[in-house]
Amino acid sequence: MSNLENNSRQASYTGYTNAVTAKEITALLREEVKPAAGCTEPVAVALAAAKVSEVLSNSVGELVIGVSPNIYKNGFSVMLPGVMEAGLDLAAALGSARARAALGLDVLIHLTEDEIQLAKERLEEGKIKVELIETSEKVLIRAKLWSETRSHWAEVTIRGRHDRIVEVVKDGVCLETFEESLQEGGGSKETKAFYAMPVKELVALVSGLDPEPLAFLLDGIIMNKKMAEVGMASPTGLGTAYALKQRYGENGGLRDLGRLAMTMTAGASDARMAGVDLPVMSSNGSGNNGITAIMPLAAYFELKSTSREDQIKALALSHLLNSYIKAEIGRLSALCSCGIAAATGASAAIAWLETRDPEIVESAVVNMIANLSGMVCDGAKLGCALKLATAASTAVETAALAQDGIRVPAGNGLVGHTVEATISNLGRLSRQGMQLADAVVLEIQAEFAQG
């Protein structure tokens, strides 16, 4: 075993579950699993604009939004809820027009015609500008607003998480600040303890949880299925789910778990990426992560009798493993976290439902990483539905293969001697090996924008 593997978070601790309590797991899930209307990158821009507009009582002379490269990449092509048009500048204008930051990631839900009209007027008047910030931080947004008379100004900073406003300044005076480190690897002592847990201990902890404090996770099934139904009912967005349903809907094809999972997952993504004005349950700051972590399980519950308690625990395991893996690859990454992290969580949860065997759960995780580790994130867009469909069907098949004793052996590509080492290696690929990928995607997007 290499020194790098020895230094990873793979260390096994006897009785390690004692270091993270059920209460702390519940708090973590409540922090990371929440409703979001629209893609979370432009929504985060809208949230910053809403907050800074509140500070100046919605007096908008000029609004400049600075964003990190990853925020720009993921907000470039995705449609916004209600308006079904794309653009970070439009997201900022809509956020400023609404000016209700208390809505959080739902700041763009059910926009009124007056709000949309005001936003478009501000765009046409040239009051809204979006700029790139040169930074290695993944989630960083700075919104600076001058009043119409330019006698006052305010600045709001979002950092670390899409809905974490860490500083609010008005006329040079700091009104609000959030001191906890939100950089990659930051967080509370309890949160860090969770991310250091061996996977087997995490599975054991989830298996023993009282499900009732986590019953809110079931809301994600309702929300995301509602979005999926829109995508499956008509050729919304890319039309992936509608085409799949037409292909497999007859002769009982959608009674196959893999086909149903991929169709439902694609349907939710089709509708969300097209700007359908409905919320989804997000996971670790991403609506598409929430869709991919939840919808394969929603398909499983639809086809297989599953107790309410087991549904909650399976959802918890899926969300937690999504967060666990994203702690290594980055909250926003050059890798497709929906396909790699969220779908891995779903596959592991299905393996747990079928067997309750931590070894088989580990095998599902290892196999998913070995299979989908090359899936690149080239921004949020209509085409995400195809990636999510691939990831969902792979999650189902991988869980089944793990039950059949299939496990990619150590030394094959990224696969290490332990599941923790494998996840650590995936993190190295993301953080070190993919450094240029985001820059190349941004160049391609800039070239397209210039015609």
Side-chain angles (χ1 to χ4, degrees):
M1 188 179 297
S2 70
N3 288 331
L4 283 168
E5 287 183 2
N6 274 321
N7 291 332
S8 78
R9 63 180 179 188
Q10 68 176 306
S12 60
Y13 302 99
T14 303
Y16 191 82
T17 51
N18 293 331
V20 182
T21 67
K23 183 177 180 181
E24 289 159 355
I25 287 293
T26 300
L28 176 63
L29 285 166
R30 285 199 172 275
E31 181 70 22
E32 296 290 10
V33 183
K34 57 185 66 173
C39 178
T40 44
E41 280 70 51
V43 166
V45 167
L47 178 59
K51 181 65 176 180
V52 79
S53 297
E54 279 184 347
V55 174
L56 290 191
S57 301
N58 214 357
S59 175
V60 178
E62 182 183 19
L63 173 60
V64 177
I65 305 280
V67 299
S68 62
N70 287 79
I71 294 290
Y72 184 90
K73 178 185 75 173
N74 276 6
F76 182 80
S77 298
V78 68
M79 303 296 181
L80 301 174
V83 293
M84 295 191 176
E85 297 176 31
L88 287 175
D89 54 351
L90 177 57
L94 292 167
S96 74
R98 171 150 280 183
R100 292 170 59 195
L103 293 173
L105 294 179
D106 272 341
V107 70
L108 295 185
I109 196 164
H110 305 327
L111 291 160
T112 67
E113 288 299 323
D114 287 344
E115 288 168 337
I116 294 171
Q117 181 61 33
L118 176 58
K120 291 189 174 181
E121 287 173 1
R122 287 176 175 174
L123 276 179
E124 290 170 2
E125 293 166 0
K127 292 183 175 182
I128 314 289
K129 298 178 183 178
V130 175
E131 301 175 343
L132 267 174
I133 300 173
E134 290 188 13
T135 178
S136 60
E137 292 185 56
K138 303 299 184 182
V139 181
L140 178 61
I141 301 167
R142 289 198 183 97
K144 189 165 185 178
L145 175 65
W146 287 265
S147 64
E148 290 181 270
T149 61
R150 297 192 74 86
S151 57
H152 298 284
W153 63 274
E155 186 174 72
V156 166
T157 302
I158 289 177
R159 170 177 275 130
R161 293 180 182 173
H162 294 73
D163 59 348
R164 278 294 178 86
I165 296 172
V166 298
E167 188 175 64
V168 180
V169 175
K170 181 181 179 182
D171 295 332
V173 178
C174 184
L175 304 181
E176 299 176 33
T177 186
F178 185 80
E179 296 181 355
E180 180 184 351
S181 172
L182 295 172
Q183 305 292 332
E184 308 274 350
S188 67
K189 179 180 177 181
E190 293 79 10
T191 300
K192 290 178 179 178
F194 163 74
Y195 289 124
M197 290 177 71
V199 170
K200 281 184 181 177
E201 297 288 352
L202 171 57
V203 174
L205 177 59
V206 171
S207 298
L209 285 174
D210 175 4
E212 287 313 308
L214 298 174
F216 72 94
L217 296 178
L218 294 172
D219 294 341
I221 296 283
I222 298 169
M223 277 185 204
N224 293 7
K225 281 183 73 173
K226 189 173 183 180
M227 186 71 89
E229 287 164 2
V230 174
M232 291 189 292
S234 62
T236 308
L238 193 63
T240 311
Y242 182 75
L244 289 170
K245 187 176 180 181
Q246 297 302 111
R247 177 178 293 273
Y248 298 128
E250 295 181 4
N251 302 318
L254 290 181
R255 302 304 296 173
D256 173 82
L257 178 56
R259 288 177 176 175
L260 182 60
M262 71 186 298
T263 303
M264 291 174 67
T265 305
S269 181
D270 272 329
R272 180 171 179 266
M273 294 292 96
V276 170
D277 192 13
L278 289 171
V280 298
M281 189 68 86
S282 69
S283 185
N284 201 253
S286 165
N288 273 358
N289 272 231
I291 288 170
T292 317
I294 293 170
M295 295 316 293
L297 293 175
Y300 184 97
F301 302 152
E302 192 165 307
L303 296 182
K304 301 192 178 189
S305 178
T306 309
S307 70
R308 182 173 184 274
E309 176 179 332
D310 282 348
Q311 287 187 21
I312 294 170
K313 290 181 178 181
L315 288 165
L317 181 59
S318 185
H319 286 298
L320 288 169
L321 278 171
N322 179 45
S323 293
Y324 188 94
I325 294 169
K326 286 184 71 175
E328 284 289 338
I329 68 174
R331 199 170 188 88
L332 290 177
S333 170
L335 297 176
C336 176
S337 63
C338 304
I340 299 170
T344 297
S347 184
I350 292 171
W352 177 82
L353 285 165
E354 289 285 293
T355 70
R356 301 298 197 273
D357 188 334
E359 290 283 351
I360 292 176
V361 172
E362 282 194 347
S363 293
V365 172
V366 168
N367 291 346
M368 286 290 289
I369 291 173
N371 191 352
L372 296 182
S373 56
M375 188 178 282
V376 174
C377 174
D378 53 348
K381 61 210 172 300
L382 298 180
C384 286
L386 288 171
K387 292 186 179 183
L388 269 60
T390 296
S393 61
T394 303
V396 171
E397 295 302 327
T398 298
L401 289 169
Q403 293 173 63
D404 291 337
I406 303 298
R407 178 165 176 158
V408 178
N412 279 234
L414 300 182
V415 179
H417 288 283
T418 66
V419 64
E420 292 81 18
T422 303
I423 294 170
S424 181
N425 290 339
L426 179 68
R428 289 179 61 199
L429 174 66
S430 176
R431 296 175 186 275
Q432 300 173 30
M434 302 292 289
Q435 285 183 357
L436 294 178
D438 283 332
V440 172
V441 171
L442 284 170
E443 287 178 7
I444 292 169
Q445 290 176 332
E447 290 169 5
F448 180 83
Q450 292 168 6

PDB file of all heavy atoms in Angstrom, residues 39 73-79 238 269-270 272-274 288 336 376-387 445:
ATOM      1  N   CYS A  39     -31.323  25.720 -11.564  1.00  0.00           N
ATOM      2  CA  CYS A  39     -29.936  25.285 -11.384  1.00  0.00           C
ATOM      3  C   CYS A  39     -29.260  26.138 -10.323  1.00  0.00           C
ATOM      4  O   CYS A  39     -29.377  27.370 -10.329  1.00  0.00           O
ATOM      5  CB  CYS A  39     -29.195  25.399 -12.716  1.00  0.00           C
ATOM      6  SG  CYS A  39     -27.454  24.942 -12.621  1.00  0.00           S
ATOM      7  N   LYS A  73     -19.171  28.482 -15.512  1.00  0.00           N
ATOM      8  CA  LYS A  73     -19.316  27.318 -16.392  1.00  0.00           C
ATOM      9  C   LYS A  73     -20.694  26.679 -16.242  1.00  0.00           C
ATOM     10  O   LYS A  73     -21.361  26.377 -17.232  1.00  0.00           O
ATOM     11  CB  LYS A  73     -18.234  26.277 -16.065  1.00  0.00           C
ATOM     12  CG  LYS A  73     -18.313  25.002 -16.883  1.00  0.00           C
ATOM     13  CD  LYS A  73     -17.292  23.973 -16.419  1.00  0.00           C
ATOM     14  CE  LYS A  73     -17.715  23.323 -15.117  1.00  0.00           C
ATOM     15  NZ  LYS A  73     -16.839  22.202 -14.735  1.00  0.00           N
ATOM     16  N   ASN A  74     -21.132  26.495 -15.011  1.00  0.00           N
ATOM     17  CA  ASN A  74     -22.399  25.807 -14.778  1.00  0.00           C
ATOM     18  C   ASN A  74     -23.612  26.689 -15.011  1.00  0.00           C
ATOM     19  O   ASN A  74     -24.731  26.179 -15.129  1.00  0.00           O
ATOM     20  CB  ASN A  74     -22.444  25.235 -13.359  1.00  0.00           C
ATOM     21  CG  ASN A  74     -21.771  23.882 -13.275  1.00  0.00           C
ATOM     22  OD1 ASN A  74     -21.176  23.415 -14.229  1.00  0.00           O
ATOM     23  ND2 ASN A  74     -21.859  23.256 -12.126  1.00  0.00           N
ATOM     24  N   GLY A  75     -23.412  28.003 -15.091  1.00  0.00           N
ATOM     25  CA  GLY A  75     -24.543  28.889 -15.321  1.00  0.00           C
ATOM     26  C   GLY A  75     -24.650  29.384 -16.744  1.00  0.00           C
ATOM     27  O   GLY A  75     -25.551  30.160 -17.075  1.00  0.00           O
ATOM     28  N   PHE A  76     -23.781  28.925 -17.614  1.00  0.00           N
ATOM     29  CA  PHE A  76     -23.667  29.476 -18.968  1.00  0.00           C
ATOM     30  C   PHE A  76     -24.874  29.145 -19.844  1.00  0.00           C
ATOM     31  O   PHE A  76     -25.401  29.987 -20.549  1.00  0.00           O
ATOM     32  CB  PHE A  76     -22.383  28.958 -19.626  1.00  0.00           C
ATOM     33  CG  PHE A  76     -22.139  29.491 -21.007  1.00  0.00           C
ATOM     34  CD1 PHE A  76     -21.594  30.751 -21.187  1.00  0.00           C
ATOM     35  CD2 PHE A  76     -22.436  28.732 -22.134  1.00  0.00           C
ATOM     36  CE1 PHE A  76     -21.366  31.253 -22.462  1.00  0.00           C
ATOM     37  CE2 PHE A  76     -22.212  29.217 -23.406  1.00  0.00           C
ATOM     38  CZ  PHE A  76     -21.672  30.485 -23.572  1.00  0.00           C
ATOM     39  N   SER A  77     -25.318  27.885 -19.806  1.00  0.00           N
ATOM     40  CA  SER A  77     -26.311  27.423 -20.779  1.00  0.00           C
ATOM     41  C   SER A  77     -27.646  27.018 -20.188  1.00  0.00           C
ATOM     42  O   SER A  77     -28.586  26.743 -20.928  1.00  0.00           O
ATOM     43  CB  SER A  77     -25.747  26.217 -21.565  1.00  0.00           C
ATOM     44  OG  SER A  77     -24.592  26.581 -22.287  1.00  0.00           O
ATOM     45  N   VAL A  78     -27.731  26.949 -18.882  1.00  0.00           N
ATOM     46  CA  VAL A  78     -28.941  26.379 -18.275  1.00  0.00           C
ATOM     47  C   VAL A  78     -30.087  27.389 -18.251  1.00  0.00           C
ATOM     48  O   VAL A  78     -29.879  28.589 -18.063  1.00  0.00           O
ATOM     49  CB  VAL A  78     -28.621  25.876 -16.846  1.00  0.00           C
ATOM     50  CG1 VAL A  78     -28.314  27.031 -15.911  1.00  0.00           C
ATOM     51  CG2 VAL A  78     -29.761  25.039 -16.301  1.00  0.00           C
ATOM     52  N   MET A  79     -31.307  26.891 -18.486  1.00  0.00           N
ATOM     53  CA  MET A  79     -32.494  27.741 -18.489  1.00  0.00           C
ATOM     54  C   MET A  79     -32.927  28.069 -17.063  1.00  0.00           C
ATOM     55  O   MET A  79     -32.786  27.245 -16.156  1.00  0.00           O
ATOM     56  CB  MET A  79     -33.635  27.050 -19.229  1.00  0.00           C
ATOM     57  CG  MET A  79     -33.304  26.667 -20.657  1.00  0.00           C
ATOM     58  SD  MET A  79     -32.981  28.106 -21.689  1.00  0.00           S
ATOM     59  CE  MET A  79     -32.665  27.308 -23.273  1.00  0.00           C
ATOM     60  N   LEU A 238     -34.354  18.519 -23.598  1.00  0.00           N
ATOM     61  CA  LEU A 238     -33.786  17.691 -24.659  1.00  0.00           C
ATOM     62  C   LEU A 238     -34.770  16.629 -25.124  1.00  0.00           C
ATOM     63  O   LEU A 238     -34.640  16.092 -26.217  1.00  0.00           O
ATOM     64  CB  LEU A 238     -32.493  17.035 -24.156  1.00  0.00           C
ATOM     65  CG  LEU A 238     -31.591  16.376 -25.196  1.00  0.00           C
ATOM     66  CD1 LEU A 238     -31.074  17.406 -26.197  1.00  0.00           C
ATOM     67  CD2 LEU A 238     -30.425  15.669 -24.517  1.00  0.00           C
ATOM     68  N   SER A 269     -34.346  15.787 -14.962  1.00  0.00           N
ATOM     69  CA  SER A 269     -33.299  16.662 -15.483  1.00  0.00           C
ATOM     70  C   SER A 269     -33.769  17.419 -16.720  1.00  0.00           C
ATOM     71  O   SER A 269     -33.505  18.619 -16.865  1.00  0.00           O
ATOM     72  CB  SER A 269     -32.052  15.844 -15.811  1.00  0.00           C
ATOM     73  OG  SER A 269     -31.007  16.689 -16.289  1.00  0.00           O
ATOM     74  N   ASP A 270     -34.469  16.730 -17.624  1.00  0.00           N
ATOM     75  CA  ASP A 270     -35.015  17.399 -18.810  1.00  0.00           C
ATOM     76  C   ASP A 270     -35.826  18.629 -18.415  1.00  0.00           C
ATOM     77  O   ASP A 270     -35.636  19.727 -18.957  1.00  0.00           O
ATOM     78  CB  ASP A 270     -35.937  16.437 -19.579  1.00  0.00           C
ATOM     79  CG  ASP A 270     -35.210  15.568 -20.596  1.00  0.00           C
ATOM     80  OD1 ASP A 270     -34.198  16.032 -21.156  1.00  0.00           O
ATOM     81  OD2 ASP A 270     -35.667  14.441 -20.832  1.00  0.00           O
ATOM     82  N   ARG A 272     -36.009  20.232 -15.443  1.00  0.00           N
ATOM     83  CA  ARG A 272     -35.286  21.226 -14.648  1.00  0.00           C
ATOM     84  C   ARG A 272     -34.359  22.060 -15.514  1.00  0.00           C
ATOM     85  O   ARG A 272     -34.300  23.280 -15.399  1.00  0.00           O
ATOM     86  CB  ARG A 272     -34.493  20.518 -13.547  1.00  0.00           C
ATOM     87  CG  ARG A 272     -33.704  21.479 -12.653  1.00  0.00           C
ATOM     88  CD  ARG A 272     -33.126  20.750 -11.459  1.00  0.00           C
ATOM     89  NE  ARG A 272     -32.370  21.662 -10.626  1.00  0.00           N
ATOM     90  CZ  ARG A 272     -31.050  21.839 -10.726  1.00  0.00           C
ATOM     91  NH1 ARG A 272     -30.355  21.145 -11.612  1.00  0.00           N
ATOM     92  NH2 ARG A 272     -30.429  22.699  -9.947  1.00  0.00           N
ATOM     93  N   MET A 273     -33.609  21.416 -16.404  1.00  0.00           N
ATOM     94  CA  MET A 273     -32.678  22.151 -17.246  1.00  0.00           C
ATOM     95  C   MET A 273     -33.396  23.035 -18.262  1.00  0.00           C
ATOM     96  O   MET A 273     -32.830  23.981 -18.794  1.00  0.00           O
ATOM     97  CB  MET A 273     -31.746  21.180 -17.975  1.00  0.00           C
ATOM     98  CG  MET A 273     -30.791  20.398 -17.071  1.00  0.00           C
ATOM     99  SD  MET A 273     -29.522  21.425 -16.273  1.00  0.00           S
ATOM    100  CE  MET A 273     -30.259  21.741 -14.671  1.00  0.00           C
ATOM    101  N   ALA A 274     -34.662  22.716 -18.541  1.00  0.00           N
ATOM    102  CA  ALA A 274     -35.442  23.533 -19.473  1.00  0.00           C
ATOM    103  C   ALA A 274     -36.060  24.754 -18.793  1.00  0.00           C
ATOM    104  O   ALA A 274     -36.627  25.617 -19.459  1.00  0.00           O
ATOM    105  CB  ALA A 274     -36.537  22.686 -20.109  1.00  0.00           C
ATOM    106  N   ASN A 288     -29.259  18.718  -9.697  1.00  0.00           N
ATOM    107  CA  ASN A 288     -29.048  17.501 -10.476  1.00  0.00           C
ATOM    108  C   ASN A 288     -28.426  16.393  -9.631  1.00  0.00           C
ATOM    109  O   ASN A 288     -28.678  15.205  -9.864  1.00  0.00           O
ATOM    110  CB  ASN A 288     -28.188  17.784 -11.706  1.00  0.00           C
ATOM    111  CG  ASN A 288     -29.020  18.232 -12.897  1.00  0.00           C
ATOM    112  OD1 ASN A 288     -30.238  18.296 -12.830  1.00  0.00           O
ATOM    113  ND2 ASN A 288     -28.368  18.559 -13.999  1.00  0.00           N
ATOM    114  N   CYS A 336     -18.056  15.172 -13.437  1.00  0.00           N
ATOM    115  CA  CYS A 336     -19.511  15.245 -13.274  1.00  0.00           C
ATOM    116  C   CYS A 336     -19.896  14.592 -11.953  1.00  0.00           C
ATOM    117  O   CYS A 336     -19.955  13.359 -11.843  1.00  0.00           O
ATOM    118  CB  CYS A 336     -20.215  14.549 -14.437  1.00  0.00           C
ATOM    119  SG  CYS A 336     -22.010  14.510 -14.254  1.00  0.00           S
ATOM    120  N   VAL A 376     -16.924  13.876 -17.552  1.00  0.00           N
ATOM    121  CA  VAL A 376     -16.503  15.266 -17.358  1.00  0.00           C
ATOM    122  C   VAL A 376     -17.717  16.173 -17.209  1.00  0.00           C
ATOM    123  O   VAL A 376     -18.742  15.980 -17.865  1.00  0.00           O
ATOM    124  CB  VAL A 376     -15.648  15.727 -18.552  1.00  0.00           C
ATOM    125  CG1 VAL A 376     -15.309  17.215 -18.450  1.00  0.00           C
ATOM    126  CG2 VAL A 376     -14.369  14.902 -18.629  1.00  0.00           C
ATOM    127  N   CYS A 377     -17.595  17.175 -16.358  1.00  0.00           N
ATOM    128  CA  CYS A 377     -18.625  18.200 -16.238  1.00  0.00           C
ATOM    129  C   CYS A 377     -18.309  19.324 -17.221  1.00  0.00           C
ATOM    130  O   CYS A 377     -17.287  20.001 -17.080  1.00  0.00           O
ATOM    131  CB  CYS A 377     -18.685  18.764 -14.817  1.00  0.00           C
ATOM    132  SG  CYS A 377     -19.823  20.164 -14.668  1.00  0.00           S
ATOM    133  N   ASP A 378     -19.179  19.512 -18.206  1.00  0.00           N
ATOM    134  CA  ASP A 378     -19.003  20.624 -19.144  1.00  0.00           C
ATOM    135  C   ASP A 378     -20.133  21.630 -18.980  1.00  0.00           C
ATOM    136  O   ASP A 378     -20.577  22.258 -19.931  1.00  0.00           O
ATOM    137  CB  ASP A 378     -18.888  20.130 -20.588  1.00  0.00           C
ATOM    138  CG  ASP A 378     -20.034  19.211 -21.005  1.00  0.00           C
ATOM    139  OD1 ASP A 378     -20.791  18.771 -20.117  1.00  0.00           O
ATOM    140  OD2 ASP A 378     -20.169  18.935 -22.201  1.00  0.00           O
ATOM    141  N   GLY A 379     -20.571  21.798 -17.748  1.00  0.00           N
ATOM    142  CA  GLY A 379     -21.564  22.802 -17.429  1.00  0.00           C
ATOM    143  C   GLY A 379     -22.963  22.239 -17.340  1.00  0.00           C
ATOM    144  O   GLY A 379     -23.258  21.162 -17.850  1.00  0.00           O
ATOM    145  N   ALA A 380     -23.843  22.985 -16.674  1.00  0.00           N
ATOM    146  CA  ALA A 380     -25.253  22.603 -16.575  1.00  0.00           C
ATOM    147  C   ALA A 380     -25.965  23.021 -17.851  1.00  0.00           C
ATOM    148  O   ALA A 380     -25.773  24.133 -18.340  1.00  0.00           O
ATOM    149  CB  ALA A 380     -25.890  23.275 -15.362  1.00  0.00           C
ATOM    150  N   LYS A 381     -26.798  22.121 -18.396  1.00  0.00           N
ATOM    151  CA  LYS A 381     -27.393  22.359 -19.707  1.00  0.00           C
ATOM    152  C   LYS A 381     -28.423  21.283 -19.995  1.00  0.00           C
ATOM    153  O   LYS A 381     -28.556  20.330 -19.222  1.00  0.00           O
ATOM    154  CB  LYS A 381     -26.305  22.336 -20.787  1.00  0.00           C
ATOM    155  CG  LYS A 381     -25.617  20.982 -20.820  1.00  0.00           C
ATOM    156  CD  LYS A 381     -24.193  21.065 -21.272  1.00  0.00           C
ATOM    157  CE  LYS A 381     -23.502  19.726 -21.091  1.00  0.00           C
ATOM    158  NZ  LYS A 381     -23.471  19.259 -19.681  1.00  0.00           N
ATOM    159  N   LEU A 382     -29.099  21.374 -21.131  1.00  0.00           N
ATOM    160  CA  LEU A 382     -30.096  20.382 -21.501  1.00  0.00           C
ATOM    161  C   LEU A 382     -29.490  18.986 -21.605  1.00  0.00           C
ATOM    162  O   LEU A 382     -30.117  17.992 -21.241  1.00  0.00           O
ATOM    163  CB  LEU A 382     -30.742  20.760 -22.834  1.00  0.00           C
ATOM    164  CG  LEU A 382     -31.514  22.082 -22.886  1.00  0.00           C
ATOM    165  CD1 LEU A 382     -32.080  22.304 -24.282  1.00  0.00           C
ATOM    166  CD2 LEU A 382     -32.622  22.114 -21.846  1.00  0.00           C
ATOM    167  N   GLY A 383     -28.264  18.896 -22.114  1.00  0.00           N
ATOM    168  CA  GLY A 383     -27.614  17.599 -22.315  1.00  0.00           C
ATOM    169  C   GLY A 383     -27.311  16.841 -21.044  1.00  0.00           C
ATOM    170  O   GLY A 383     -26.967  15.648 -21.106  1.00  0.00           O
ATOM    171  N   CYS A 384     -27.448  17.486 -19.876  1.00  0.00           N
ATOM    172  CA  CYS A 384     -27.220  16.778 -18.613  1.00  0.00           C
ATOM    173  C   CYS A 384     -28.165  15.595 -18.468  1.00  0.00           C
ATOM    174  O   CYS A 384     -27.839  14.611 -17.796  1.00  0.00           O
ATOM    175  CB  CYS A 384     -27.402  17.720 -17.427  1.00  0.00           C
ATOM    176  SG  CYS A 384     -26.051  18.901 -17.203  1.00  0.00           S
ATOM    177  N   ALA A 385     -29.334  15.674 -19.093  1.00  0.00           N
ATOM    178  CA  ALA A 385     -30.305  14.584 -18.981  1.00  0.00           C
ATOM    179  C   ALA A 385     -29.718  13.273 -19.486  1.00  0.00           C
ATOM    180  O   ALA A 385     -30.008  12.201 -18.936  1.00  0.00           O
ATOM    181  CB  ALA A 385     -31.575  14.925 -19.747  1.00  0.00           C
ATOM    182  N   LEU A 386     -28.896  13.326 -20.537  1.00  0.00           N
ATOM    183  CA  LEU A 386     -28.268  12.112 -21.051  1.00  0.00           C
ATOM    184  C   LEU A 386     -27.290  11.531 -20.048  1.00  0.00           C
ATOM    185  O   LEU A 386     -27.251  10.317 -19.828  1.00  0.00           O
ATOM    186  CB  LEU A 386     -27.557  12.408 -22.374  1.00  0.00           C
ATOM    187  CG  LEU A 386     -28.446  12.664 -23.589  1.00  0.00           C
ATOM    188  CD1 LEU A 386     -27.603  13.148 -24.765  1.00  0.00           C
ATOM    189  CD2 LEU A 386     -29.207  11.407 -23.970  1.00  0.00           C
ATOM    190  N   LYS A 387     -26.483  12.397 -19.441  1.00  0.00           N
ATOM    191  CA  LYS A 387     -25.510  11.918 -18.454  1.00  0.00           C
ATOM    192  C   LYS A 387     -26.216  11.324 -17.240  1.00  0.00           C
ATOM    193  O   LYS A 387     -25.799  10.289 -16.707  1.00  0.00           O
ATOM    194  CB  LYS A 387     -24.580  13.058 -18.029  1.00  0.00           C
ATOM    195  CG  LYS A 387     -23.642  13.528 -19.118  1.00  0.00           C
ATOM    196  CD  LYS A 387     -22.659  14.559 -18.596  1.00  0.00           C
ATOM    197  CE  LYS A 387     -21.711  14.997 -19.700  1.00  0.00           C
ATOM    198  NZ  LYS A 387     -20.699  15.951 -19.235  1.00  0.00           N
ATOM    199  N   GLN A 445     -16.853  27.684 -24.235  1.00  0.00           N
ATOM    200  CA  GLN A 445     -18.066  28.466 -24.022  1.00  0.00           C
ATOM    201  C   GLN A 445     -17.898  29.891 -24.539  1.00  0.00           C
ATOM    202  O   GLN A 445     -18.800  30.455 -25.160  1.00  0.00           O
ATOM    203  CB  GLN A 445     -18.433  28.469 -22.536  1.00  0.00           C
ATOM    204  CG  GLN A 445     -18.935  27.133 -22.016  1.00  0.00           C
ATOM    205  CD  GLN A 445     -19.194  27.139 -20.527  1.00  0.00           C
ATOM    206  OE1 GLN A 445     -18.567  27.879 -19.773  1.00  0.00           O
ATOM    207  NE2 GLN A 445     -20.117  26.300 -20.077  1.00  0.00           N
TER     208      GLN A 445
END
